[in-house]
Amino acid sequence: MIGAFMAILNIQITNASLLDIEGGIGTGVDNGSWISTSYLIGEIIVIPLTDYLSRVFSFRNVILVHATLFAIFSVACAFTSDLPSMIAMRGLQGFFGGVLIPMAFTLVFTKLPKAQQPIGLAMFSLAVTFAPAIGPTIGGYLTENYGWQTIFFVNVLPTAVMVTLLYFTLDRQPMQLKLLREGDWLGIATMAIGLSALQSVLEEGNKDDWFGSPFIVRLAIIAAISLSLFVGIELTVEKPLLKLRLLTQRNFGIGTVAAVFIGFALFGSVYLLPAYLGQVQRYNAEQIGAVLAWTGLPQLLLIPLVPKLMQRFDARLIAVTGALLFALSAFMNTTMSLDYAGDQFWVPNIVRAVGQALLLAPLSSISLGSVAPQDAAAASGISNMMRNLGGAIGTAVLATIVVKREQFHSNIIGQSVHLGREEVRARIAQMTDYFIAHGVPDPTNARQQAIIALGNAVKRQALVLGFSDTFAIIGIVLVLAAIALMLTRKAASGGAGGGAH
C-alpha cells in the first residue's frame, strides 16, 4: 500500500510545481507538460504488464526490484539539468513505480483472508484517492520552501521502509523464465506503442490544437492501429497478455466502465482545481496545495470506517452514494464568480472527500467479487490501467473544454462590452483616471491601458465561466458512473475476491 500510494502520489506531485521545474531545467511551458506525460506513459505501459512480469520473475522479485529502481530514478530526476534527461528519468520512474499499484491490489485478493479484504480495499482506496489530492499539497510546500528538487526525494524513505519489510515477509518463489518463450510479445509491442501514442495524444492534443497538428494526427493513427491490433491479438492468442474476456463478466465489465468514469472525475478534478486557482486567482504552489488538502485530509478519517459500512450495507449502495456525493461537489462549483477562491472551495472539497472515501473500496469489491482468485492479478491490471486511462482522457477533455468554453463566453460577454454603451465608456473613463493617478501621465496611453485592463477583465470572467462549465461535465460523468454501478449484481458479502467463478 505504501508503494501504491507513492506511485500515485508522483503522478500529481509535480502539478503545482511545474513552472518552477520548467525554470530549473531551462524549458518553456509548452514543453514542460512532458514532465507529467512521460511519467504517465511509463506507468500506463507497465500496469498491464505486471501480471506477466510477476509470473516470470516471481511476485517478490518484481516488487522488490521495481520499488528500489523507482526510488533511484526518483532521485535521478532531482539531478537533471535539461528536458530530455528529465523526460527519460520521469518515464523510467513511472515504469518502475507503476507495478506497485496493481501489485498492492493483487495482494488484497491473494494474501488477505476474505474477512479482511474490505480493510485492504479501504487502504488501497486511500492510496488511490488521497494520494492525488495530497500530491500538489506536498509538492507545493516543498517547492516554495526548499526548492523543486526536494519533491523527488520524498519517495526514498517510504520506499526503503517498504522494501525492507517486504524483503523479510514476502514468500520466496522460483522464477519461471521458460514463460519468456511463451510471452505474448506481439501483444506487448502493440500495447506499448498504442498506449504511448494515445497517452501522448491526450496529454499534448490541447496544446497542439488537436487534429490541426500533423504530429497529433500521426500519433492518433498509430494509437488507433496499434490498439486495434492489440485487442485482436488478445482475443485470439492462446496465452494473452491481458485476459480481455474477463470484461464479459457482468460485474467486472460494468465495474471497469465505472472505473473509467471515476478516473475521469478523480484526475480531472485534481487538474482543474490547481489550474483555476493558478490562472484565475493567481495562487502560488503552496496556496494551491493548502486548498487541495481539504479534499485529502478528511479521507484519512473516513476511509477506515468504510469496511464497517461494507459489512452492514450493500457495496453497491455505498458506491452509488459516494459517486453521487462526488457529483454533488462538482455541481456546487458550477456557479463560480470572480470572488470564488480558496474559502469558497472548502465545503465542496469536504463533500468531495466524503464521496471519494465511500467510492473506491466498494467499487473494487463489486468489480472483483466474481473474479476467480487465479485471475485476480490480471483483473487488477485491467482495472487499474483503465482507471488511469480514464484519468488521462478526463484531463485532456477538460483542458480542451476550459479553452473552448472560455472562448465562447468571451464572445458572448464581448458582444455587450462595446463603446456604444454608456456604462462601458464610463468604466473606461474611470479606469483611465486611475492609471493617470498611478503614474501614467499620457492620457492617450492611460486610456489604452484602461481598454486593455477591461479586455483582461472580460477574459478573466469568461475563464471563470469556462471552469464552471467543466465542473458540470465532471458531475455528469459521475452520475453516469452511479448509473453504471446500479446495473451490477450484488457483490459477495465481506468484500471481494474470488468467491464466485
Side-chain angles (χ1 to χ4, degrees):
M1 294 306 164
I2 292 172
F5 183 89
M6 298 311 297
I8 296 170
L9 180 80
N10 276 268
I11 299 172
Q12 307 292 347
I13 200 168
T14 60
N15 281 14
S17 315
L18 215 48
L19 288 175
D20 298 272
I21 298 171
E22 288 161 356
I25 62 175
T27 189
V29 176
D30 284 352
N31 295 321
S33 57
W34 280 101
I35 296 167
S36 298
T37 303
S38 56
Y39 183 90
L40 281 167
I41 288 173
E43 191 170 87
I44 208 164
I45 288 172
V46 81
I47 284 174
L49 274 173
T50 303
D51 178 36
Y52 177 64
L53 291 174
S54 60
R55 283 186 283 118
V56 174
F57 299 106
S58 88
F59 190 97
R60 184 179 188 273
N61 289 342
V62 169
I63 200 166
L64 292 176
V65 170
H66 277 247
T68 304
L69 290 171
F70 169 66
I72 290 171
F73 284 110
S74 297
V75 172
C77 290
F79 292 97
T80 57
S81 57
D82 55 58
L83 183 64
S85 57
M86 174 62 85
I87 289 172
M89 293 304 103
R90 280 286 282 172
L92 289 166
Q93 183 195 12
F95 183 85
F96 289 110
V99 302
L100 303 175
I101 302 169
M103 287 187 127
F105 202 62
T106 303
L107 275 170
V108 172
F109 293 106
T110 57
K111 300 294 183 184
L112 291 184
K114 195 174 181 70
Q116 293 182 359
Q117 286 177 6
I119 299 170
L121 288 174
M123 293 174 70
F124 184 77
S125 67
L126 187 66
V128 172
T129 60
F130 179 60
I134 207 70
T137 306
I138 296 170
Y141 174 79
L142 291 174
T143 299
E144 289 295 319
N145 292 283
Y146 304 105
W148 64 265
Q149 291 90 343
T150 53
I151 67 178
F152 295 111
F153 290 101
V154 298
N155 303 314
V156 175
L157 184 59
T159 305
V161 171
M162 176 185 68
V163 168
T164 303
L165 294 174
L166 289 179
Y167 180 85
F168 291 108
T169 55
L170 273 181
D171 296 333
R172 293 179 183 272
Q173 299 163 313
M175 292 193 291
Q176 299 185 62
L177 298 180
K178 65 178 185 295
L179 291 177
L180 288 171
R181 292 196 300 273
E182 304 170 10
D184 177 17
W185 293 107
L186 190 56
I188 291 171
T190 51
M191 180 207 69
I193 294 168
L195 287 178
S196 300
L198 178 60
Q199 185 71 48
S200 300
V201 168
L202 293 171
E203 290 288 320
E204 303 298 314
N206 186 53
K207 175 175 68 69
D208 293 344
D209 192 30
W210 291 104
F211 297 111
S213 161
F215 174 65
I216 295 297
V217 170
R218 285 194 295 270
L219 281 177
I221 292 170
I222 292 169
I225 293 172
S226 297
L227 292 177
S228 297
L229 288 171
F230 172 66
V231 171
I233 291 164
E234 298 310 285
L235 294 176
T236 54
V237 298
E238 184 181 350
K239 295 181 178 179
L241 174 69
L242 283 187
K243 296 180 180 178
L244 296 182
R245 294 186 190 280
L246 290 173
L247 293 169
T248 61
Q249 297 183 20
R250 179 170 171 173
N251 276 19
F252 183 67
I254 296 175
T256 302
V257 171
V260 173
F261 288 145
I262 290 162
F264 182 108
L266 183 65
F267 289 97
S269 56
V270 173
Y271 159 77
L272 274 188
L273 272 170
Y276 172 82
L277 292 170
Q279 293 176 35
V280 177
Q281 303 299 346
R282 301 288 186 259
Y283 276 34
N284 64 26
E286 189 172 0
Q287 291 170 320
I288 291 170
V291 175
L292 285 178
W294 284 104
T295 304
L297 294 176
Q299 294 182 54
L300 287 175
L301 301 175
L302 294 168
I303 285 179
L305 304 177
V306 173
K308 293 292 184 185
L309 289 174
M310 290 172 67
Q311 289 172 359
R312 299 189 59 181
F313 300 100
D314 188 340
R316 294 175 299 175
L317 177 63
I318 302 169
V320 168
T321 302
L324 292 177
L325 283 172
F326 193 174
L328 175 63
S329 73
F331 287 128
M332 291 170 76
N333 294 330
T334 57
T335 56
M336 295 192 297
S337 67
L338 287 171
D339 298 323
Y340 206 97
D343 291 343
Q344 287 68 41
F345 278 112
W346 193 78
V347 173
N349 280 0
I350 295 290
V351 174
R352 179 178 151 205
V354 175
Q356 288 182 1
L358 294 175
L359 189 50
L360 262 294
L363 171 64
S364 301
S365 173
I366 293 164
S367 296
L368 276 291
S370 60
V371 173
Q374 64 268 26
D375 291 330
S380 170
I382 294 172
S383 180
N384 284 286
M385 180 187 74
M386 295 305 291
R387 188 186 61 250
N388 277 21
L389 198 56
I393 293 168
T395 303
V397 167
L398 294 172
T400 303
I401 290 173
V402 168
V403 172
K404 299 300 181 185
R405 295 301 290 176
E406 184 267 328
Q407 292 169 350
F408 169 80
H409 289 297
S410 188
N411 289 334
I412 297 296
I413 298 170
Q415 290 173 12
S416 302
V417 182
H418 54 80
L419 293 174
R421 294 187 61 179
E422 178 60 34
E423 303 98 309
V424 176
R425 292 198 299 273
R427 179 69 172 157
I428 290 174
Q430 181 185 6
M431 293 169 74
T432 301
D433 292 341
Y434 171 86
F435 282 114
I436 289 173
H438 287 79
V440 184
D442 180 15
T444 303
N445 193 15
R447 178 179 166 80
Q448 187 64 32
Q449 293 286 337
I451 292 171
I452 292 171
L454 185 60
N456 288 336
V458 168
K459 181 178 175 63
R460 190 161 170 252
Q461 180 63 60
L463 195 56
V464 172
L465 293 172
F467 275 105
S468 293
D469 292 346
T470 53
F471 278 109
I473 299 296
I474 287 179
I476 292 167
V477 167
L478 285 163
V479 170
L480 293 175
I483 293 170
L485 288 167
M486 291 176 191
L487 299 175
T488 57
R489 294 191 180 98
K490 185 174 181 178
S493 62
H501 285 246

